[in-house]
PDB file of all heavy atoms in Angstrom:
ATOM      1  N   LEU A 542     -24.725 -36.543 -65.236  1.00 97.00           N
ATOM      2  CA  LEU A 542     -26.018 -36.797 -64.606  1.00 97.00           C
ATOM      3  C   LEU A 542     -26.771 -35.508 -64.298  1.00 97.00           C
ATOM      4  O   LEU A 542     -27.944 -35.559 -63.930  1.00 97.00           O
ATOM      5  CB  LEU A 542     -25.816 -37.601 -63.322  1.00 97.00           C
ATOM      6  CG  LEU A 542     -25.280 -39.030 -63.530  1.00 97.00           C
ATOM      7  CD1 LEU A 542     -25.021 -39.706 -62.196  1.00 97.00           C
ATOM      8  CD2 LEU A 542     -26.237 -39.856 -64.376  1.00 97.00           C
ATOM      9  N   CYS A 543     -26.113 -34.354 -64.441  1.00 97.00           N
ATOM     10  CA  CYS A 543     -26.772 -33.057 -64.301  1.00 97.00           C
ATOM     11  C   CYS A 543     -27.081 -32.437 -65.651  1.00 97.00           C
ATOM     12  O   CYS A 543     -27.414 -31.250 -65.738  1.00 97.00           O
ATOM     13  CB  CYS A 543     -25.900 -32.106 -63.486  1.00 97.00           C
ATOM     14  SG  CYS A 543     -25.756 -32.557 -61.746  1.00 97.00           S
ATOM     15  N   GLY A 544     -26.928 -33.226 -66.742  1.00 97.00           N
ATOM     16  CA  GLY A 544     -27.293 -32.741 -68.060  1.00 97.00           C
ATOM     17  C   GLY A 544     -26.185 -32.082 -68.836  1.00 97.00           C
ATOM     18  O   GLY A 544     -26.448 -31.468 -69.869  1.00 97.00           O
ATOM     19  N   VAL A 545     -24.919 -32.175 -68.369  1.00 98.00           N
ATOM     20  CA  VAL A 545     -23.771 -31.594 -69.077  1.00 98.00           C
ATOM     21  C   VAL A 545     -22.919 -32.756 -69.588  1.00 98.00           C
ATOM     22  O   VAL A 545     -22.022 -33.230 -68.891  1.00 98.00           O
ATOM     23  CB  VAL A 545     -22.948 -30.675 -68.164  1.00 98.00           C
ATOM     24  CG1 VAL A 545     -21.834 -29.984 -68.952  1.00 98.00           C
ATOM     25  CG2 VAL A 545     -23.833 -29.644 -67.494  1.00 98.00           C
ATOM     26  N   PRO A 546     -23.197 -33.258 -70.795  1.00 97.00           N
ATOM     27  CA  PRO A 546     -22.544 -34.493 -71.245  1.00 97.00           C
ATOM     28  C   PRO A 546     -21.122 -34.315 -71.733  1.00 97.00           C
ATOM     29  O   PRO A 546     -20.356 -35.275 -71.747  1.00 97.00           O
ATOM     30  CB  PRO A 546     -23.457 -34.965 -72.390  1.00 97.00           C
ATOM     31  CG  PRO A 546     -24.021 -33.700 -72.949  1.00 97.00           C
ATOM     32  CD  PRO A 546     -24.195 -32.781 -71.775  1.00 97.00           C
ATOM     33  N   CYS A 547     -20.743 -33.105 -72.164  1.00 97.00           N
ATOM     34  CA  CYS A 547     -19.429 -32.886 -72.768  1.00 97.00           C
ATOM     35  C   CYS A 547     -18.516 -32.201 -71.764  1.00 97.00           C
ATOM     36  O   CYS A 547     -18.623 -30.987 -71.540  1.00 97.00           O
ATOM     37  CB  CYS A 547     -19.570 -32.045 -74.041  1.00 97.00           C
ATOM     38  SG  CYS A 547     -18.064 -31.968 -75.028  1.00 97.00           S
ATOM     39  N   ALA A 548     -17.632 -32.962 -71.136  1.00 96.00           N
ATOM     40  CA  ALA A 548     -16.772 -32.415 -70.084  1.00 96.00           C
ATOM     41  C   ALA A 548     -15.502 -33.237 -69.994  1.00 96.00           C
ATOM     42  O   ALA A 548     -15.456 -34.388 -70.431  1.00 96.00           O
ATOM     43  CB  ALA A 548     -17.504 -32.404 -68.738  1.00 96.00           C
ATOM     44  N   GLY A 549     -14.475 -32.638 -69.396  1.00 94.00           N
ATOM     45  CA  GLY A 549     -13.234 -33.363 -69.204  1.00 94.00           C
ATOM     46  C   GLY A 549     -12.175 -32.497 -68.553  1.00 94.00           C
ATOM     47  O   GLY A 549     -12.233 -31.272 -68.596  1.00 94.00           O
ATOM     48  N   PRO A 550     -11.165 -33.135 -67.915  1.00 91.00           N
ATOM     49  CA  PRO A 550     -10.091 -32.402 -67.246  1.00 91.00           C
ATOM     50  C   PRO A 550      -8.883 -32.224 -68.164  1.00 91.00           C
ATOM     51  O   PRO A 550      -8.774 -32.876 -69.201  1.00 91.00           O
ATOM     52  CB  PRO A 550      -9.734 -33.331 -66.088  1.00 91.00           C
ATOM     53  CG  PRO A 550      -9.905 -34.703 -66.691  1.00 91.00           C
ATOM     54  CD  PRO A 550     -11.063 -34.586 -67.677  1.00 91.00           C
ATOM     55  N   ASP A 551      -7.985 -31.335 -67.765  1.00 90.00           N
ATOM     56  CA  ASP A 551      -6.694 -31.269 -68.424  1.00 90.00           C
ATOM     57  C   ASP A 551      -5.860 -32.474 -68.008  1.00 90.00           C
ATOM     58  O   ASP A 551      -5.888 -32.895 -66.848  1.00 90.00           O
ATOM     59  CB  ASP A 551      -5.959 -29.983 -68.047  1.00 90.00           C
ATOM     60  CG  ASP A 551      -6.441 -28.789 -68.852  1.00 90.00           C
ATOM     61  OD1 ASP A 551      -7.250 -28.997 -69.769  1.00 90.00           O
ATOM     62  OD2 ASP A 551      -6.015 -27.661 -68.556  1.00 90.00           O
ATOM     63  N   LEU A 552      -5.121 -33.016 -68.959  1.00 88.00           N
ATOM     64  CA  LEU A 552      -4.316 -34.215 -68.722  1.00 88.00           C
ATOM     65  C   LEU A 552      -2.860 -33.912 -69.022  1.00 88.00           C
ATOM     66  O   LEU A 552      -2.543 -33.004 -69.774  1.00 88.00           O
ATOM     67  CB  LEU A 552      -4.791 -35.366 -69.615  1.00 88.00           C
ATOM     68  CG  LEU A 552      -6.280 -35.705 -69.540  1.00 88.00           C
ATOM     69  CD1 LEU A 552      -6.683 -36.520 -70.747  1.00 88.00           C
ATOM     70  CD2 LEU A 552      -6.564 -36.471 -68.257  1.00 88.00           C
ATOM     71  N   GLY A 553      -1.998 -34.710 -68.448  1.00 73.00           N
ATOM     72  CA  GLY A 553      -0.578 -34.562 -68.749  1.00 73.00           C
ATOM     73  C   GLY A 553       0.248 -34.513 -67.499  1.00 73.00           C
ATOM     74  O   GLY A 553      -0.260 -34.551 -66.373  1.00 73.00           O
ATOM     75  N   GLY A 554       1.549 -34.397 -67.683  1.00 53.00           N
ATOM     76  CA  GLY A 554       2.468 -34.338 -66.559  1.00 53.00           C
ATOM     77  C   GLY A 554       2.642 -32.925 -66.062  1.00 53.00           C
ATOM     78  O   GLY A 554       2.046 -31.973 -66.551  1.00 53.00           O
ATOM     79  N   SER A 555       3.448 -32.757 -65.054  1.00 53.00           N
ATOM     80  CA  SER A 555       3.780 -31.447 -64.520  1.00 53.00           C
ATOM     81  C   SER A 555       5.219 -31.483 -64.043  1.00 53.00           C
ATOM     82  O   SER A 555       5.846 -32.536 -63.965  1.00 53.00           O
ATOM     83  CB  SER A 555       2.848 -31.078 -63.360  1.00 53.00           C
ATOM     84  OG  SER A 555       3.095 -31.913 -62.245  1.00 53.00           O
ATOM     85  N   ASP A 556       5.749 -30.321 -63.723  1.00 45.00           N
ATOM     86  CA  ASP A 556       7.126 -30.271 -63.254  1.00 45.00           C
ATOM     87  C   ASP A 556       7.287 -30.985 -61.918  1.00 45.00           C
ATOM     88  O   ASP A 556       8.357 -31.493 -61.604  1.00 45.00           O
ATOM     89  CB  ASP A 556       7.576 -28.809 -63.130  1.00 45.00           C
ATOM     90  CG  ASP A 556       7.695 -28.150 -64.501  1.00 45.00           C
ATOM     91  OD1 ASP A 556       7.833 -28.897 -65.481  1.00 45.00           O
ATOM     92  OD2 ASP A 556       7.648 -26.912 -64.579  1.00 45.00           O
TER      93      ASP A 556
END
Side-chain angles (χ1 to χ4, degrees):
L542 294 176
C543 291
V545 185
C547 191
D551 279 354
L552 307 162
S555 68
D556 291 339

